């Protein structure tokens, strides 16, 4: 059984939605995954649910995207349930910025660092070497620039606090796992409501960044490992939600029951069975089937 949910543009609800659904149904049937049932969710008038007897979630998501455009969607191989664990990336996912790019601006190096970040997130270059190269460029920057950067540049994306607060009210644990830095992530986690933080640490000496890291690197393998560690504590049957935007999030997204690529780079989007193209993370709450009357403002 496959359950697909997508958020229909209010302007397309009606005859246009019916036309798109008909064309998508034809494409799904040709792919060997015929639609068994389709209709709007009673408690969320803009969420279309489609039931299929069989299929692969990512393949179904691709077909729906082809016919409904850049919509927010989730496809699962089971009835969609409330997750008990939420593991998320930070940069360009829970916050709207890449922290290292913004910090580099204080050293006059934003353009150079941003170019490396973009290639790493697209999976075009190795994450470890890209991280080391960018951190090295920050050598000599005053540690105080981090506090300024946090205060002046870093902010949660729309719906981030509500997403985490609502999940927590439903008994879901939230963990922030980033390839970024504790200097930022600890404050972001407190700001949004995450219960645990895993990330990299910038080395500091005499009040300045040394251009190196302090301790082990937090990377794509770390993200998946943390997900698996947390899941093991919850026991068999617990559903996992994950979100991220870059290539280094792929192992985590693939390991989750509901892996959401948030306004993501192509490789991450292609690997995910959940996709958010709008800006507001409360779209995830809609797709999980949580009525807006039960949302908790963070």
């Amino acid at each position: 059984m496959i359950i697909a949910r997508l958020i229909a543009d209010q302007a397309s609800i009606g005859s246009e939605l019916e036309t798109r659904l008909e064309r998508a149904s034809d494409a799904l049937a040709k792919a060997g995954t015929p639609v068994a049932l389709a209709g709007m969710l009673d408690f969320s008038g803009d969420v279309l649910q489609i039931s299929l007897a069989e299929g692969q979630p990512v393949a179904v998501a691709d077909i729906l995207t082809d016919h409904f455009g850049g919509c927010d969607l989730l496809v699962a191989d089971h009835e969609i349930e409330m997750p008990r664990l939420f593991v998320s990336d930070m940069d360009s996912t829970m916050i709207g910025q890449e922290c290292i790019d913004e910090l580099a601006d204080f050293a006059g190096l934003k353009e150079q660092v941003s170019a490396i970040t973009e290639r790493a997130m697209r999976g075009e270059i190795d994450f470890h070497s890209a991280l080391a190269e960018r951190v090295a460029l920050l050598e000599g920057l005053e540690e105080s620039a981090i506090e300024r950067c946090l205060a002046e540049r870093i902010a949660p994306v729309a719906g981030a606090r509500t997403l985490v607060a609502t999940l927590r009210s439903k008994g879901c644990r939230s963990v922030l796992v980033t390839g970024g830095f504790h200097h930022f992530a600890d404050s972001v986690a407190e700001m949004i409501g995450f219960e645990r933080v895993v990330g990299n640490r910038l080395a500091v000496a005499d009040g300045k960044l040394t251009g190196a890291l302090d301790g082990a690197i937090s990377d794509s393998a770390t993200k998946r490992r943390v997900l698996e560690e947390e899941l093991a504590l919850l026991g068999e049957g617990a559903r996992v939600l994950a979100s991220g935007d870059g290539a280094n999030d792929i192992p985590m997204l693939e390991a989750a029951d509901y892996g959401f690529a948030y306004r993501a780079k192509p490789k991450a989007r292609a690997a995910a069975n959940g996709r958010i193209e709008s800006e507001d993370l409360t779209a995830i709450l809609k797709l999980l089937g949580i009525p807006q009357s039960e949302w908790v403002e963070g």
Side-chain angles (χ1 to χ4, degrees):
M1 176 181 63
I2 300 293
I3 299 296
R5 289 178 181 170
L6 61 90
I7 299 177
D9 186 337
Q10 288 288 347
S12 72
I13 292 178
S15 60
E16 183 181 344
L17 180 62
E18 291 176 3
T19 299
R20 292 186 181 190
L21 178 58
E22 182 177 346
R23 291 173 178 170
S25 297
D26 289 343
L28 288 163
K30 290 178 182 178
T33 57
V35 171
L37 187 67
M40 308 304 290
L41 291 184
D42 292 338
F43 50 81
S44 187
D46 59 350
V47 177
L48 172 65
Q49 178 163 301
I50 303 170
S51 303
L52 307 97
E54 58 185 355
Q56 295 296 321
V58 172
V60 171
D62 288 340
I63 292 173
L64 293 176
T65 298
D66 287 343
H67 290 83
F68 288 93
C71 62
D72 302 332
L73 61 81
L74 172 63
V75 185
D77 59 3
H78 55 270
E79 290 284 355
I80 295 172
E81 305 171 35
M82 180 60 55
R84 292 182 57 200
L85 174 65
F86 175 38
V87 181
S88 182
D89 176 43
M90 179 177 69
D91 297 271
S92 297
T93 302
M94 298 307 296
I95 59 174
Q97 304 77 33
E98 291 287 336
C99 290
I100 193 167
D101 296 358
E102 298 303 323
L103 185 59
D105 200 20
F106 287 83
L109 296 169
K110 183 173 182 178
E111 185 175 343
Q112 184 176 350
V113 170
S114 294
I116 302 170
T117 300
E118 178 69 13
R119 293 186 65 202
M121 293 304 98
R122 288 183 173 275
E124 296 172 358
I125 55 177
D126 174 70
F127 176 80
H128 283 224
S129 59
L131 180 63
E133 182 177 359
R134 288 175 292 167
V135 171
L137 289 169
L138 301 179
E139 182 180 1
L141 183 65
E142 296 286 343
E143 185 181 15
S144 60
I146 296 173
E147 289 301 320
R148 287 182 56 203
C149 187
L150 268 167
E152 298 172 12
R153 307 285 183 91
I154 307 305
V157 301
R161 291 189 178 98
T162 299
L163 172 63
V164 173
T166 302
L167 291 174
R168 189 167 189 171
S169 75
K170 301 290 184 180
C172 180
R173 176 171 167 80
S174 296
V175 181
L176 191 65
V177 187
T178 177
F181 313 108
H182 274 280
H183 277 89
F184 292 95
D186 291 345
S187 295
V188 168
E190 183 176 358
M191 186 189 310
I192 297 176
F194 283 89
E195 298 167 71
R196 180 187 174 192
V197 184
V198 178
N200 292 302
R201 295 188 182 277
L202 291 165
V204 179
D206 300 322
K208 296 182 179 181
L209 303 188
T210 68
L213 292 173
D214 182 5
I217 290 180
S218 175
D219 58 9
S220 61
T222 306
K223 294 183 178 189
R224 178 156 186 158
R225 175 178 54 77
V226 169
L227 183 153
E228 291 172 344
E229 287 175 355
E230 292 280 346
L231 179 58
L233 297 175
L234 294 175
E236 187 176 352
R239 298 296 184 190
V240 180
L241 167 69
S243 62
D245 72 301
N248 66 323
D249 296 311
I250 291 174
M252 174 178 70
L253 296 177
E254 291 179 332
D257 296 287
Y258 315 126
F260 279 95
Y262 174 76
R263 299 175 66 86
K265 303 297 184 290
K267 287 185 178 180
R269 186 185 301 112
N273 66 333
R275 300 167 188 181
I276 302 297
E277 297 299 326
S278 61
E279 294 185 3
D280 198 318
L281 280 172
T282 58
I284 293 177
L285 298 176
K286 289 186 178 184
L287 293 168
L288 290 174
I290 303 174
Q292 191 165 351
S293 60
E294 298 179 12
W295 294 2
V296 178
E297 297 297 328

